[in-house]
Amino acid sequence: MSAVLLCVFAMPAAAASEETTDVAETDFGPELHWIEGGGTVDLGSDLAELKLGSEFVFLDGADSRQFQMWVSGSSSSREIGTVFPADENEAWYVLFEYDHVGHIKDKEKNKIDADAILDSYKQGTEERNKEVDSERQLFIDGWHIPPSYDDKTHQLSWALLAHDIHNEKLINYNVRLLTREGYISAILVTDPDQLDHDRTTMEKSILPNFQMKTGQRYEDFDQKTDKVSEYGLSGLILGGAGLAVAKKVGLLGIIVPLLKKGWILIVAAIAGVFGFIKRKITGRRKEDETVSEYHTQPEAPSEDSSTTLDAQRDPAQDQSKTL
């Protein structure tokens, strides 16, 4: 099986720390508060919002961190929400994260050197491969989608092709949306066989309904008060590093820590993860139905009151209740 990790809006910087802590669990996994679609949900604290279709369910930032701790044993502490399919026959999710790295200026928008960036990835990775065992080696094949920037939406996108020592394909697909003081990432985790279908769902039914709140948009930047990032668009493509850093540490040093979580999920545990989600959603709905039936059922009269009620009962009322 090939491993596929799609990162939309951005992948976090490689040097970011991860949190590890115990997670309170039930028999089926952590205690999570699932939000059903059909309304608007918040991402982060007054940061962004998402109009969630009825075909999805959602976990907020706190529950997303709990979920990541359960499935991967660590949390980036940057999680601000996760979208899952409500359909129990689908197995994917989109994780949103926010990196407050400062305002990323787009001065390079018309002069991104894709060849130089690719060469930097290749040279750095070749050097890094000499220092690690074969199971940790990666090999760059080229651009699947060369870097491009939309200055109207402040969106930077690209897709990089690579493979490992077993010739398993890795697609590192990215679309990064610049914000007032950083960027938001949405990571699509899915089975490679369902990649095209799930990516279409994400791009047509989730991302168009996502928006930054007023005051957090790229154009809301205030040069008098806001922090400015130390890198630009090329550095963002290289995971928050410049070309020189990429040549030194290579692709492994930049993206392998980021791929660890997604790789484990896809190869080792994706069936268990979505089995858990299915049980939680189905179980919750059954509980709701049970509660609803309990409240709608009439209370059975006692034996003593039955005689009195029978004496006072009107035949027409009996017929109406029977009908």
Side-chain angles (χ1 to χ4, degrees):
M1 176 186 290
S2 299
V4 178
L5 178 68
L6 289 96
C7 303
V8 179
F9 295 160
M11 294 188 74
S17 62
E18 290 192 342
E19 174 186 348
T20 58
T21 138
D22 294 333
V23 179
E25 294 189 11
T26 66
D27 292 339
F28 299 111
E31 285 281 4
L32 301 174
H33 305 88
W34 298 91
I35 300 174
E36 293 190 351
T40 300
V41 294
D42 286 330
L43 292 164
S45 177
D46 198 32
L47 178 66
E49 62 184 15
L50 177 68
K51 292 182 180 179
L52 197 66
S54 58
E55 66 272 32
F56 306 115
V57 293
F58 179 79
L59 294 178
D60 66 12
D63 281 325
S64 293
R65 289 187 284 276
Q66 286 276 83
F67 177 77
Q68 290 301 319
M69 286 296 303
W70 178 62
V71 298
S72 67
S74 64
S75 163
S76 69
S77 299
R78 297 184 299 272
E79 296 91 345
I80 58 175
T82 312
V83 176
F84 299 83
D87 186 347
E88 62 187 43
N89 295 313
E90 296 188 33
W92 57 266
Y93 67 82
V94 177
L95 170 66
F96 290 89
E97 295 185 342
Y98 175 61
D99 279 77
H100 186 266
V101 297
H103 186 77
I104 300 173
K105 294 188 176 182
D106 59 0
K107 294 180 179 180
E108 302 172 80
K109 60 186 178 182
N110 295 320
K111 53 181 181 180
I112 298 175
D113 193 336
D115 291 337
I117 294 173
L118 182 62
D119 180 65
S120 180
Y121 269 128
K122 287 184 174 181
Q123 290 185 35
T125 303
E126 288 172 1
E127 291 301 315
R128 180 67 175 177
N129 282 346
K130 298 175 183 178
E131 303 173 5
V132 299
D133 59 68
S134 60
E135 291 298 322
R136 296 182 58 202
Q137 293 179 352
L138 291 179
F139 307 90
I140 306 302
D141 297 319
W143 294 116
H144 180 61
I145 301 174
S148 64
Y149 180 73
D150 186 333
D151 59 0
K152 293 182 179 179
T153 60
H154 307 291
Q155 180 173 295
L156 178 66
S157 62
W158 73 95
L160 192 65
L161 292 174
H163 66 275
D164 66 7
I165 195 68
H166 303 293
N167 206 33
E168 290 185 334
K169 184 172 67 172
L170 171 68
I171 302 177
N172 178 231
Y173 174 75
N174 304 265
V175 180
R176 305 189 179 187
L177 183 66
L178 309 185
T179 68
R180 176 178 176 175
E181 292 186 275
Y183 59 87
I184 284 185
S185 64
I187 304 168
L188 171 61
V189 178
T190 183
D191 188 303
D193 293 338
Q194 297 298 318
L195 171 61
D196 291 337
H197 174 269
D198 296 341
R199 177 183 166 187
T200 298
T201 299
M202 177 183 65
E203 293 182 342
K204 291 187 176 181
S205 301
I206 297 177
L207 300 187
N209 295 319
F210 169 93
Q211 65 177 3
M212 300 298 299
K213 291 187 177 181
T214 301
Q216 299 292 345
R217 300 167 300 181
Y218 188 79
E219 55 268 29
D220 293 326
F221 171 69
D222 187 341
Q223 60 181 356
K224 295 180 180 179
T225 60
D226 295 341
K227 172 186 174 182
V228 177
S229 174
E230 298 178 353
Y231 52 84
L233 299 181
S234 293
L236 191 55
I237 297 171
L238 292 168
L243 293 179
V245 175
K247 287 182 178 179
K248 181 178 180 180
V249 303
L251 181 64
L252 285 174
I254 293 175
I255 71 168
V256 164
L258 310 175
L259 293 176
K260 180 181 178 183
K261 176 164 53 182
W263 185 282
I264 293 173
L265 280 173
I266 294 170
V267 175
I270 195 166
V273 169
F274 291 100
F276 160 70
I277 295 170
K278 174 182 175 181
R279 287 193 298 271
K280 295 295 287 186
I281 296 173
T282 304
R284 184 187 61 229
R285 288 175 177 168
K286 287 182 177 179
E287 288 178 2
D288 291 343
E289 290 172 1
T290 301
V291 171
S292 177
E293 289 176 2
Y294 173 80
H295 285 297
T296 56
Q297 287 208 355
E299 182 178 351
S302 66
E303 186 175 346
D304 292 339
S305 62
S306 177
T307 304
T308 305
L309 290 174
D310 286 343
Q312 297 175 346
R313 187 176 295 148
D314 184 274
Q317 292 177 335
D318 280 348
Q319 184 179 15
S320 174
K321 288 183 179 179
T322 303
L323 294 173

